[in-house]
Amino acid sequence: SQQGEEDPQALSIQEGENATMNCSYKTSINNLQWYRQNSGRGLVHLILIRSNEREKHSGRLRVTLDTSKKSSSLLITASRAADTASYFCATDGMTGRRALTFGSGTRLQVQP
Amino acid sequence: NAGVTQTPKFQVLKTGQSMTLQCAQDMNHNSMYWYRQDPGMGLRLIYYSASEGTTDKGEVPNGYNVSRLNKREFSLRLESAAPSQTSVYFCASRPGLEANEQFFGPGTRLTVL
């Protein structure tokens, strides 16, 4: 079963607006990562937040983590048409294999 | 650097046929992974290799086998393909278990009729 559940499943906004995606997970984690997937392509790493961090920024991306609620959010500010993609959260658990467990993703459509 | 490469890009099989998906990375990474992605879903781990010479099962290993041929290459074999194995398969690598980010290949789209 998948660790994360993402909300919303799909999001459509206009260029220039902000996009917020949420992720919930079930077990303790070392860190949580966000990945982007353009249609028909592989995943690309965007940002990582460690379990002892609450907020992190990278360019137009802002990630928050609330370990007490087992949830995270990804905010993309001033969105562009090129941001159209699927976004996945992935948790890096505390088991030895350190494999990522992915959520089901949010499909973001940014209208020009 | 080519990063993570996968072959083939597309494949159609008939039920019962076998095939091997190839993956190679040129980043000198220790850990490699195979995932499958079904429509509208996230990735699920099939097998992983923490380092050369070791392989372990992931979340959905049934119907698959893997070989870590050397540090660069990690192949996934379907011995007797079934329609339920229709999916997009992604290979990924990671510098080591203590590193965080995974690097993904472009994927292999497999259809089993």
Side-chain angles (χ1 to χ4, degrees), chain A residues 90-105:
Chain A
T91 52
D92 193 351
M94 307 187 84
T95 59
R97 69 186 189 197
R98 300 295 302 279
L100 297 177
T101 304
F102 285 84
S104 53

Side-chain angles (χ1 to χ4, degrees), chain A residues 1 35 37 92 97-98, chain B residues 37 48 59 94 97 102:
Chain A
S1 62
Y35 286 78
Q37 184 181 34
D92 193 351
R97 69 186 189 197
R98 300 295 302 279
Chain B
Q37 183 179 33
Y48 71 103
E59 184 184 351
R94 186 178 199 175
L97 288 181
Q102 288 191 11

Side-chain angles (χ1 to χ4, degrees), chain A residues 1-2 31 33 35 37 40-45 48 50 88 92 96-100 102-105 107, chain B residues 33 35 37 40-45 48 57-59 90 94 97-106 109:
Chain A
S1 62
Q2 294 190 282
N31 62 70
Q33 304 176 34
Y35 286 78
Q37 184 181 34
R41 307 291 292 273
L43 279 71
V44 175
H45 183 265
L48 176 151
R50 300 186 190 282
F88 295 89
D92 193 351
R97 69 186 189 197
R98 300 295 302 279
L100 297 177
F102 285 84
S104 53
R107 293 186 307 279
Chain B
Y33 305 82
Y35 295 90
Q37 183 179 33
M41 296 183 67
L43 279 67
R44 291 184 292 169
L45 182 67
Y48 71 103
K57 295 178 180 179
E59 184 184 351
F90 289 98
R94 186 178 199 175
L97 288 181
E98 294 309 312
N100 298 306
E101 177 183 351
Q102 288 191 11
F103 296 79
F104 284 82
R109 187 173 296 274

Side-chain angles (χ1 to χ4, degrees), chain A residues 27-102:
Chain A
T27 61
S28 297
I29 61 172
N30 280 308
N31 62 70
L32 185 144
Q33 304 176 34
W34 285 88
Y35 286 78
R36 165 191 169 131
Q37 184 181 34
N38 287 79
S39 181
R41 307 291 292 273
L43 279 71
V44 175
H45 183 265
L46 292 176
I47 192 167
L48 176 151
I49 186 164
R50 300 186 190 282
S51 59
N52 61 354
E53 297 176 314
R54 292 295 168 259
E55 187 171 313
K56 200 158 184 183
H57 297 256
S58 176
R60 294 185 295 114
L61 304 179
R62 172 178 169 254
V63 171
T64 62
L65 179 65
D66 186 335
T67 53
S68 66
K69 295 181 179 177
K70 291 188 167 59
S71 67
S72 174
S73 67
L74 172 68
L75 168 68
I76 303 174
T77 60
S79 63
R80 305 166 182 168
D83 293 328
T84 294
S86 291
Y87 292 82
F88 295 89
C89 68
T91 52
D92 193 351
M94 307 187 84
T95 59
R97 69 186 189 197
R98 300 295 302 279
L100 297 177
T101 304
F102 285 84

Side-chain angles (χ1 to χ4, degrees), chain B residues 6-11 21 87-90 106-110:
Chain B
Q6 292 182 236
T7 56
K9 286 187 168 53
F10 302 93
Q11 184 71 48
L21 281 64
S87 190
V88 182
Y89 291 85
F90 289 98
T108 293
R109 187 173 296 274
L110 175 66

Side-chain angles (χ1 to χ4, degrees), chain B residues 15 36 38 44 62 64 78 80-87 89 112:
Chain B
T15 297
R36 62 177 286 174
D38 298 311
R44 291 184 292 169
N62 290 345
Y64 305 96
L78 287 70
S80 179
S84 61
Q85 294 178 305
T86 294
S87 190
Y89 291 85
V112 183

